[in-house]
């Protein structure tokens, strides 16, 4: 039962981070909804990604969401430090790196259960 409670809490926090990012930063356009097996999410435009990277939400997310509840798919050519399968970077660094690339944007997914928050870089 404890595992289920923790999973639900992480899912709620990750969902709140995505919702706050979209609503709290005053995005003029709506993000594109996405679905994947066992996950739902949004695709942010380059402008929405930049707004998210420059807002306060990512600092809060790094404090609230445990690192082991966050998965990241880095784009080819990413300069973030890697050690085997582990990436050592804050969400601000991960999403900020995306904004430095032409057309760079991120997809954010929430996967109930063990998935947590999934961030996908794309450029």
């Amino acid at each position: 039962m404890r595992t289920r409670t923790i999973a639900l809490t992480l899912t709620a926090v990750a969902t709140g981070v995505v919702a706050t990012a979209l609503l709290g930063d005053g995005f003029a356009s709506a993000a594109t909804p996405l679905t994947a097996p066992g996950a739902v999410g949004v695709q942010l435009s380059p402008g929405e990604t930049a707004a998210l990277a420059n807002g306060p939400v990512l600092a809060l997310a790094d404090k609230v969401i445990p690192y082991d509840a966050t998965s990241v798919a880095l784009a080819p050519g990413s300069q973030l430090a890697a050690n085997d399968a582990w990436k050592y970077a804050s969400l601000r660094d991960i999403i900020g790196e995306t904004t430095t690339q032409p057309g760079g944007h991120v997809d954010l997914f929430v996967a109930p259960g063990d998935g947590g928050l999934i961030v996908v870089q794309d450029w």
Side-chain angles (χ1 to χ4, degrees):
M1 191 63 158
R2 181 173 180 206
T3 302
R4 190 173 297 166
T5 302
I6 291 171
L8 289 173
T9 301
L10 290 177
T11 300
V13 168
T15 302
V17 167
V18 172
T20 302
L22 297 177
L23 299 174
D25 285 338
F27 287 40
S29 63
T32 305
L34 300 171
T35 58
V40 295
V42 292
Q43 180 181 60
L44 302 181
S45 70
E48 292 165 340
T49 300
L52 179 61
N54 294 322
V57 172
L58 298 178
L60 174 63
D62 278 332
K63 299 275 186 210
V64 176
I65 301 172
Y67 285 115
D68 61 352
T70 305
S71 299
V72 178
L74 297 175
S78 172
Q79 299 300 307
L80 295 175
N83 180 6
D84 295 324
W86 294 97
K87 309 298 180 229
Y88 299 100
S90 68
L91 287 173
R92 183 177 305 279
D93 291 342
I94 294 164
I95 294 175
E97 179 186 44
T98 305
T99 65
T100 65
Q101 303 296 322
H105 68 275
V106 294
D107 301 336
L108 301 172
F109 290 93
V110 176
D114 295 335
L117 176 66
I118 303 167
V119 179
V120 180
Q121 287 184 328
D122 190 20
W123 58 71

